[in-house]
């Protein structure tokens, strides 16, 4: 049996992924603010430190997989937390758990980004410098000062930064023997999406965000792709961002890929 650490396993895509990975025979060590083996708040440096320490303790310092699902939507307030969970909560766990993954068997990691990662290019991402220098307070200050645009900036900016952070690690992780990929979900029926639909500031744009396939995704449709990326069937897939979005990225950016 292989051991996989997962964040954000309590609800939505993470809960569905947990089920799929357990069915495939993996033992899960979940990290979440509730309903998990490790209860930790990934929006704080202290919570991330505690999560890392407990994950290493519970896995005996040897891991076969890592799935990072924890995330907050654009509607969440205070908006600085969106950046903290979506970017710092993922990147710090990636870096902190790489040595344990190196000791695992055919190790692989999957990070849940978003189609929103392509909504602004890295060169125009106002959070890029703060991410590169690891300055969480600066990133929070930028989104807090962005007024009405703060939620969208925090979400798209943090997901853009997250995909870039994964892609920049592809050489080091390849040499370490650990496959690392992202998926970019489109609108998926989860509590995060429902919270956005119930928020007057975001409901119209979310409701209009319907892909060529004409419907939103179910969490299980993300879980099956994550399970594939974690499996031996994906043994040569490394550094990829797989859009699982009903075609919306191709529709919005047909000439960019
Ligand atoms: P969700 O709200 O159901 O799940 C998010 C999970 O993260 C929950 O288990 C929650 O408890 C956990 N979490 C939130 N804050 C945390 C914190 N401070 N510390 C630890 N855990 C925390 O939403 P979801 O839609 O399943 O989201 C999963 C991932 O998918 C997120 O990264 C999200 O950005 C991404 N995503 C979702 C959609 C969508 O339409 N639902 C689209 C693109 C990307």
């Amino acid at each position: 049996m292989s051991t996989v650490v997962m964040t954000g396993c309590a609800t939505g895509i993470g809960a569905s992924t947990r089920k799929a990975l357990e069915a495939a025979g993996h033992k899960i060590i979940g990290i979440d603010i509730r309903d998990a083996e490790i209860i930790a708040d990934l929006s704080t440096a202290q919570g991330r430190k505690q999560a890392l320490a407990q994950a290493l303790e519970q896995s005996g310092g040897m891991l076969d997989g890592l799935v990072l699902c924890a995330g907050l939507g654009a509607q969440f307030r205070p908006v600085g937390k969106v950046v903290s969970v979506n970017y710092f909560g993922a990147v710090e766990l990636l870096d902190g758990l790489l040595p344990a993954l190196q000791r695992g068997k055919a190790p692989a990691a999957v990070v849940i980004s978003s189609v929103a990662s392509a909504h602004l290019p890295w060169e125009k991402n106002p959070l890029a410098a703060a991410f590169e220098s690891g300055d969480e307070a600066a990133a929070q200050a930028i989104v807090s000062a962005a007024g009405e645009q703060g939620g969208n900036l925090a979400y798209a900016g943090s997901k853009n930064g997250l995909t870039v952070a994964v892609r920049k690690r592809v050489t080091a992780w390849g040499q370490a023997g650990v496959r690392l990929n992202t998926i970019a979900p489109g609108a998926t029926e989860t509590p995060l999406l429902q919270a956005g639909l119930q928020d007057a500031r975001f409901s119209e744009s979310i409701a209009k965000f319907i892909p060529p396939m004409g419907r939103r995704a179910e969490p299980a449709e993300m879980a099956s792709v994550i399970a594939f990326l974690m499996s031996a069937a994906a043994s040569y897939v490394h550094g990829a961002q797989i859009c699982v979005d009903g075609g919306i990225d191709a529709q919005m950016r047909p000439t960019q890929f």
Side-chain angles (χ1 to χ4, degrees), residues 87 90-92 94-95 111 122 131-132 158-171 173 180 182:
Y87 181 83
V91 169
E92 285 182 23
L94 274 182
D95 293 343
V111 179
W122 174 247
F131 287 158
E132 287 215 301
S158 63
K159 293 296 187 178
N160 176 259
L162 185 55
T163 295
V164 169
V166 165
R167 290 173 68 82
K168 286 190 171 183
R169 281 162 174 73
V170 76
T171 305
W173 283 59
L180 174 61
T182 56

Side-chain angles (χ1 to χ4, degrees), residues 74-108:
Q75 76 288 339
F76 193 88
R77 295 295 177 270
V79 75
K81 293 253 178 206
V82 178
V83 167
S84 292
V85 176
N86 293 7
Y87 181 83
F88 293 95
V91 169
E92 285 182 23
L93 263 68
L94 274 182
D95 293 343
L97 293 175
L98 178 59
L101 285 162
Q102 270 187 278
R103 293 183 206 109
K105 191 167 167 249

Side-chain angles (χ1 to χ4, degrees), residues 10-13 32 41-42 69-70 112-113 155 159 185-188 190-192:
T11 62
I13 295 169
D32 206 299
D41 180 356
L42 298 174
C69 276
I112 316 310
S113 185
Y155 192 75
K159 293 296 187 178
T188 308
T190 68
L192 181 151

